[in-house]
């Protein structure tokens, strides 16, 4: 039976591309219009695994998704990096002069903002997904509206690309995490990256002490993100990603961090996607 993979968006989206890259073609796609809906599909067992964008090399972290992973006790079982290519697409026969509005996901609009400075009369409108906007233009035969979406969306929904590669920075990459309600236990020799979440107390140097332990145990800190703890004003949690060459070094650091920090939790232990 084919794996059911939940994605944010629909066929033709970047999440769809990552699902194909990571799992192959033989999957059943579960299309979700929000990350909350994606998590619900996992929790209700309507999907086996999920693909979730977590950070972009230009726009930074997608902060609400950190909280979603933690609060719903999801496990990160893998990651994938995708080079992002944004294209401007319209109904066949429409031209740039016809366009009054451009619709897309907020992240896509942000990444293409510079391009539209030359078109001050075009209104940028935030939407739930890149590919869904492209599909809606075709389904409704919407004139005067363009979508920013991947090339495959133009092919799937028979739209014409009137401007290619309009992202501000051409070397634009998004990191996606693969999530599941249960941990996928890999052999220790295959694990070289982990995602952790912890709190520190208010004593001076508490965070520095934790970071020093990571360094002393030969862990490479690749990401640190702080989030407020909603129910405890002025208290912050830290989400970190670390890479390592040997699992023993990581295991030693993990045992020390459990003692030194509060509410320590491993969110996932998996293969570094940048080594693939």
């Amino acid at each position: 039976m084919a794996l059911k993979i939940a994605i944010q968006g629909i066929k033709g989206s970047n999440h769809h591309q990552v699902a194909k890259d990571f799992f192959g073609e033989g999957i059943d796609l579960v299309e979700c219009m929000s990350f909350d809906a994606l998590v619900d599909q996992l929790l209700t067992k309507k999907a086996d695994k999920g693909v979730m964008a977590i950070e972009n090399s230009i726009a930074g972290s997608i902060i609400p998704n950190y909280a979603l992973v933690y609060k719903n006790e999801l496990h990160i079982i893998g990651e994938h990096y995708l080079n992002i290519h944004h294209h401007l697409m319209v109904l066949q026969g429409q031209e740039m002069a016809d366009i009054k509005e451009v619709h897309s996901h907020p992240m896509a609009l942000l990444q293409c903002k510079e391009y539209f400075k030359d078109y001050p009369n075009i209104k940028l409108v935030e939407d739930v997904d890149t590919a869904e906007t492209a599909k809606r233009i075709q389904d409704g035969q919407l004139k005067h509206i363009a979508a920013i979406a991947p090339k495959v969306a133009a092919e799937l929904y028979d739209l014409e690309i009137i401007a290619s590669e309009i992202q501000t920075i051409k070397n634009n990459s998004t990191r996606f995490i693969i999530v599941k309600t249960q941990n996928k236990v890999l052999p220790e020799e295959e694990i070289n990256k982990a995602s952790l979440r912890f709190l520190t107390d208010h004593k001076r140097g508490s965070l520095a002490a934790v970071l020093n332990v990571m360094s002393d145990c030969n862990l490479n800190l690749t990401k640190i993100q702080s989030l407020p703890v909603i129910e405890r004003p002025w208290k912050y949690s830290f989400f970190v990603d670390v890479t390592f060459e040997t699992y023993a070094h990581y295991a030693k650091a993990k045992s020390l961090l459990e003692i030194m920090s509060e509410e320590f939790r491993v969110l996932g232990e998996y293969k570094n996607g940048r080594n693939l």
Side-chain angles (χ1 to χ4, degrees):
M1 200 161 83
L3 275 176
K4 294 180 180 178
I5 307 299
I7 64 166
Q8 190 273 317
I10 66 170
K11 288 179 182 176
S13 65
N14 286 317
H15 279 79
H16 179 207
Q17 184 64 54
V18 171
K20 289 199 300 179
D21 289 348
F22 196 87
F23 295 104
E25 295 286 349
I27 57 175
D28 285 342
L29 214 59
V30 181
E31 300 171 334
C32 308
M33 285 299 100
S34 70
F35 288 113
D36 289 274
L38 184 156
V39 172
D40 286 342
Q41 294 296 308
L42 292 172
L43 296 179
T44 57
K45 302 191 185 307
K46 294 175 183 174
D48 301 308
K49 300 173 184 177
V51 174
M52 180 182 288
I54 198 73
E55 61 179 313
N56 176 263
S57 58
I58 299 172
S61 299
I62 305 173
I63 291 175
N65 287 356
Y66 285 90
L68 276 177
V69 169
Y70 172 72
K71 289 191 177 298
N72 292 286
E73 299 186 13
L74 299 181
H75 297 269
I76 301 171
I77 62 167
E79 66 176 5
H80 186 78
Y81 290 81
L82 182 70
N83 289 326
I84 304 298
H85 303 277
H86 289 308
H87 306 281
L88 193 66
M89 54 194 70
V90 293
L91 281 178
Q92 299 285 345
Q94 291 272 287
E95 299 176 353
M96 185 64 81
D98 301 317
I99 304 307
K100 295 179 180 177
E101 294 182 1
V102 171
H103 294 219
S104 197
H105 189 275
M107 192 71 78
L109 293 174
L110 182 64
Q111 293 166 11
C112 300
K113 202 172 178 181
E114 288 297 314
Y115 178 82
F116 292 102
K117 284 188 175 179
D118 292 333
Y119 302 95
N121 295 327
I122 292 179
K123 182 181 179 183
L124 303 182
V125 180
E126 293 186 358
D127 222 319
V128 292
D129 181 52
T130 54
E132 195 277 334
T133 302
K135 183 177 186 294
R136 187 155 24 91
I137 289 173
Q138 181 57 249
D139 289 348
Q141 291 293 292
L142 302 178
K143 296 182 178 180
H144 312 299
I145 294 178
I148 299 172
K151 183 179 180 181
V152 66
E155 296 166 357
L156 277 172
Y157 306 118
D158 193 29
L159 298 182
E160 183 175 348
I161 293 176
I162 56 172
S164 298
E165 305 287 354
I166 64 170
Q167 62 272 14
T168 302
I169 298 174
K170 302 310 175 189
N171 185 17
N172 175 12
S173 177
T174 293
R175 175 181 173 235
F176 295 79
I177 52 175
I178 313 302
V179 292
K180 192 180 176 185
T181 55
Q182 292 178 313
N183 190 24
K184 178 184 179 183
V185 181
L186 291 172
E188 289 183 1
E189 61 270 17
E190 293 184 20
I191 299 170
N192 57 6
K193 189 168 184 178
S195 295
L196 314 171
R197 188 258 191 194
F198 59 86
L199 280 66
T200 60
D201 58 33
H202 283 300
K203 292 177 184 176
R204 187 173 64 185
S206 293
L207 178 58
V210 167
L211 298 181
N212 283 336
V213 164
M214 293 181 185
S215 177
D216 291 344
C217 292
N218 297 313
L219 305 190
N220 179 35
L221 182 70
T222 61
K223 176 73 178 179
I224 182 166
Q225 179 71 53
S226 64
L227 265 73
V229 181
I230 303 300
E231 61 276 12
R232 296 162 71 181
W234 308 114
K235 190 79 171 175
Y236 289 86
S237 60
F238 295 94
F239 291 80
V240 302
D241 294 327
V242 293
T243 59
F244 40 89
E245 292 185 8
T246 62
Y247 190 88
H249 289 157
Y250 162 68
K252 179 182 178 183
K254 184 168 60 169
S255 63
L256 291 170
L257 294 176
E258 284 179 315
I259 298 167
M260 295 173 62
S261 60
E262 302 174 24
E263 297 183 18
F264 179 84
R265 188 197 294 177
V266 176
L267 303 176
E269 298 175 356
Y270 48 94
K271 294 180 185 178
N272 185 353
R274 300 192 78 171
N275 287 344
L276 300 178

